[in-house]
Amino acid sequence: MPAQTMDQIVSLCKRRGFIFPGSSIYGGMQGTYDYGPLGVELKNNLKMAWWRANVWERDDMEGIDAAIIMNKLVWRYSGHEETFVDPMVDCRKCNMRWRADQIGKTCPNCGSSDLTEPRPFNLMFKTQVGPVPDPESFAYLRPETAQGIFVNFKNVLDSTSRKLPFGIAQMGKSFRNEITPRNFIFRVRELEQMEIEYFVRPGEDEAYHQRWIEDRQRWWQNLGLNPANMELYWHKQEDLSHYSKATVDILYRFPHGMEELEGIANRTDFDLGSHSKDQDKLNLSARVKQNLHSTERLTYFDQELKQHIVPFVIEPAAGVDRGCLAVLTEDYTEEQVKAVPAERLKPVEEALGAFLKSVGRNEKLTAAQKDAIAEAGERIGSDIEHNLAGISALLGLPGAESIEVAKKLRGQADPVADEFYRTVLKLKPALAPIKVAVLPLKKNNEQIVATAKQIRRQLQSSGNMRTVYDDTAAIGKLYRRQDEIGTPFCITVDFDTLGEGKDGALANTVTVRDRNTMGQERVPIAELEMYLRERLR
């Protein structure tokens, strides 16, 4: 079952080095996050899977990497200066600021209904360009990667001689000055996008739009997302963006609800038309702002029609951060591996009860923190045998460690959790940050350690099979740690490997443990690479 609460994901990400709050030693910075050692591997694997599927494995796609800082005229003619806005309100009582379309008539912080009238707020970040500040020497950090593709349309077309239909793909950072960033990495101020602009002949756009909707659903499902947790949302005509003929969102069931994972829009000829000169000669279908600055006509010469046309554009656009959050949510699993004796559960249950009683008396916690901790704790207590693994996430909630009996609860719960439960990320092998972990049964035996390290070097040097060596705990705890970070296979080097066990036939073999089934198999060292490659596809 996927993660049910965001707290489960946040706790795992911080504890195991996937994602940290940005600038945390200085109190943090809202809406920014840092990807740690495992998080950057997960993110890179997701991006590589997207690039491979959409650029390398297609005959109709090129890739680019456009600049983050662009001429501000790009954003004038794209419409962002006028339309890239959210409605903002302030609470006159507590001075909190909110997006008007995300709250009701009362402030979520203090409950006051004394709110200002909504006013437009442009989400683009401005930055100074050049050494001398003046009103005109500024640029915007790009709020999307798409415009970098549109302004390079003629460059790519001229340098590659592509024929319609074809696409241009790009991955990269974008920046949005969100009024209220929320839900962990779902809505942030610095994000990374995976976008395609697919150029087609006018009249063929609706068919290609449908093809891309189906293709993008299939890709996410191949990464492991359950179709039951996904659905399509067709934007109503009155809600469409100024450039859109039709837009479909692929929604995913995140812990905070069904939300957009990827959007696929039919942008017609709006973008290429907006950035072109001589617009009155281009027979555009979209209504565009008169462009007085462009030096190019962004057109395609159609050999069949013997004339220049402005292609229509289909845009599949996904967020890398949301993609990471989706696969973490889908693949997060808490499993009870064997029954817990009642005498082992009772001390944990009593410690949890004492912890929850202390929550209401703690003066260091805010009301929101108390509610979050109490709600999570009561959920665990309602069926403690099946939910005990969630205590680690409970104690990772903001403010939980300040509760006096938190250490006692952790001391009671951790040994039981280690023995009877496991948290596992059942990531597809292509996404797993680490593919193989090599573990020595005895870390102070020089021959076992040397053999384990040699196996790690051999597997790591063989290609894309990232392999680590770990001897920081007993084998059981090492298995649990690798399960929790999603490592598909663990290799254990023991005395049988050295030929010093009871069965001499096991010499030069190792134990390979499967993450999902916990099944173990002896495999000759000489056959390890092939054995793993077949199972890591």
Side-chain angles (χ1 to χ4, degrees):
M1 178 183 293
Q4 300 300 296
T5 69
M6 193 69 81
D7 298 331
Q8 293 171 298
I9 301 299
V10 173
S11 177
L12 172 66
C13 285
K14 184 176 181 181
R15 183 171 69 253
R16 290 305 185 196
F18 281 92
I19 303 167
F20 308 122
S23 310
S24 59
I25 67 170
Y26 291 106
M29 184 173 182
Q30 189 182 22
T32 64
Y33 290 90
D34 300 330
Y35 282 74
L38 294 177
V40 71
E41 296 291 342
L42 173 63
K43 179 188 255 193
N44 286 342
N45 289 342
L46 178 65
K47 292 193 295 184
M48 192 66 253
W50 184 88
W51 194 262
R52 182 180 295 111
N54 291 294
V55 181
W56 290 2
E57 295 178 1
R58 295 183 67 110
D59 296 326
D60 58 353
M61 195 74 65
E62 300 287 352
I64 68 166
D65 183 11
I68 287 174
I69 299 176
M70 305 173 73
N71 189 308
K72 57 179 174 286
L73 291 173
V74 170
W75 309 108
R76 178 184 302 177
Y77 291 109
S78 69
H80 283 77
E81 282 191 332
E82 294 180 1
T83 63
F84 199 64
V85 296
D86 280 338
M88 180 174 66
V89 297
D90 292 328
C91 174
R92 293 190 178 96
K93 182 177 179 181
C94 68
N95 297 319
M96 291 293 290
R97 185 162 286 163
W98 307 95
R99 268 183 59 174
D101 59 337
Q102 292 178 351
I103 65 172
K105 297 182 179 180
T106 59
C107 173
N109 184 57
C110 69
S112 172
S113 58
D114 188 9
L115 305 177
T116 63
E117 288 297 316
R119 60 195 185 280
F121 173 75
N122 195 291
L123 302 179
M124 288 193 291
F125 282 100
K126 277 187 177 182
T127 186
Q128 189 68 41
V129 177
V132 180
D134 67 66
E136 291 303 315
S137 61
F138 72 89
Y140 298 106
L141 299 184
R142 67 184 181 195
E144 64 178 26
T145 59
Q147 300 305 319
I149 295 176
F150 296 130
V151 300
N152 278 290
F153 171 78
K154 190 173 188 303
N155 291 331
V156 173
L157 188 61
D158 290 348
S159 60
T160 63
S161 300
R162 282 286 183 177
K163 298 184 183 304
L164 291 181
F166 77 94
I168 302 176
Q170 181 174 202
M171 297 186 296
K173 288 289 185 77
S174 295
F175 304 85
R176 299 180 181 181
N177 195 10
E178 295 284 353
I179 299 169
T180 50
R182 67 191 193 282
N183 295 322
F184 193 33
I185 57 173
F186 179 82
R187 189 175 298 280
V188 290
R189 291 188 168 121
E190 178 182 331
L191 59 144
E192 197 157 5
Q193 294 182 288
M194 304 178 292
E195 288 196 302
I196 293 167
E197 307 303 334
Y198 194 76
F199 303 99
V200 303
R201 290 180 176 84
E204 299 178 357
D205 51 301
E206 293 182 5
Y208 278 106
H209 190 205
Q210 186 59 43
R211 288 189 201 179
W212 274 107
I213 293 168
E214 295 167 1
D215 186 77
R216 297 308 302 144
Q217 289 181 92
R218 187 163 49 249
W219 186 79
W220 285 111
Q221 290 166 16
N222 288 340
L223 282 188
L225 299 193
N226 188 338
N229 293 322
M230 302 169 67
E231 62 183 50
L232 295 180
Y233 172 74
W234 287 79
H235 287 225
K236 298 176 182 178
Q237 193 68 32
E238 61 269 23
D239 296 332
L240 290 174
S241 300
H242 61 283
Y243 54 75
S244 177
K245 177 180 177 180
T247 297
V248 176
D249 288 343
I250 298 176
L251 305 182
Y252 177 75
R253 197 181 312 279
F254 292 97
H256 59 282
M258 294 294 288
E259 291 262 23
E260 179 190 350
L261 174 63
E262 177 166 356
I264 303 99
N266 182 342
R267 300 179 69 117
T268 69
D269 54 5
F270 173 84
D271 299 283
L272 295 182
S274 293
H275 291 302
S276 288
K277 69 175 184 177
D278 301 333
Q279 295 157 314
D280 56 335
K281 301 176 182 178
L282 300 181
N283 194 29
L284 298 173
S285 67
R287 184 180 300 174
V288 300
K289 183 184 183 74
Q290 184 182 9
N291 195 318
L292 304 175
H293 296 87
S294 177
T295 61
E296 296 287 353
R297 292 184 186 180
L298 302 184
T299 61
Y300 170 85
F301 185 74
D302 192 312
Q303 294 287 352
E304 295 179 11
L305 298 176
K306 302 300 181 184
Q307 67 181 45
H308 285 272
I309 64 171
V310 178
F312 273 37
V313 181
I314 308 301
E315 178 193 72
V320 177
D321 306 276
R322 291 186 183 188
C324 288
L325 183 57
V327 297
L328 286 169
T329 299
E330 185 70 48
D331 295 327
Y332 181 97
T333 308
E334 292 175 356
E335 294 181 345
Q336 184 176 352
V337 295
K338 56 184 177 179
V340 188
E343 63 270 18
R344 297 290 301 276
L345 272 179
K346 187 174 180 181
V348 180
E349 192 170 12
E350 292 174 348
L352 177 62
F355 174 83
L356 292 176
K357 286 181 181 179
S358 298
V359 172
R361 300 193 297 264
N362 192 298
E363 297 179 355
K364 297 180 181 179
L365 300 175
T366 66
Q369 288 174 334
K370 289 180 181 180
D371 289 344
I373 294 170
E375 182 181 348
E378 289 166 4
R379 179 182 62 82
I380 293 169
S382 66
D383 186 357
I384 193 162
E385 181 174 5
H386 294 99
N387 295 330
L388 186 144
I391 288 178
S392 179
L394 170 69
L395 296 177
L397 291 176
E401 289 291 352
S402 69
I403 299 172
E404 187 175 345
V405 294
K407 289 183 179 179
K408 182 177 179 181
L409 174 58
R410 188 183 295 280
Q412 293 288 353
D414 280 359
V416 179
D418 288 344
E419 186 175 351
F420 298 96
Y421 303 84
R422 72 170 184 155
T423 298
V424 55
L425 276 182
K426 296 187 177 181
L427 297 166
K428 288 283 188 178
L431 296 180
I434 296 169
K435 310 303 189 225
V436 183
V438 184
L439 319 173
L441 182 67
K442 195 170 184 180
K443 66 180 181 181
N444 59 359
N445 182 293
E446 291 184 6
Q447 197 169 353
I448 286 179
V449 170
T451 302
K453 289 185 176 180
Q454 178 61 24
I455 291 172
R456 188 210 73 82
R457 284 192 294 270
Q458 289 175 348
L459 294 177
Q460 183 66 69
S461 64
S462 65
N464 297 324
M465 195 184 304
R466 188 177 181 218
T467 309
V468 300
Y469 168 88
D470 192 358
D471 65 2
T472 57
I475 286 294
K477 285 194 173 183
L478 292 178
Y479 283 158
R480 291 290 186 266
R481 177 185 300 165
Q482 296 300 328
D483 288 345
E484 199 169 38
I485 64 177
T487 305
F489 293 101
C490 288
I491 295 171
T492 301
V493 178
D494 54 22
F495 289 101
D496 284 323
T497 307
L498 306 182
E500 298 176 7
K502 295 180 180 179
D503 187 350
L506 298 179
N508 296 313
T509 69
V510 292
T511 298
V512 180
R513 176 185 179 271
D514 182 279
R515 175 198 67 197
N516 291 354
T517 67
M518 295 187 288
Q520 299 186 10
E521 185 177 353
R522 295 298 294 200
V523 178
I525 294 175
E527 299 175 11
L528 258 181
E529 184 179 340
M530 183 61 69
Y531 175 94
L532 292 168
R533 284 197 179 283
E534 290 176 352
R535 290 160 177 78
L536 288 170
R537 291 174 180 169

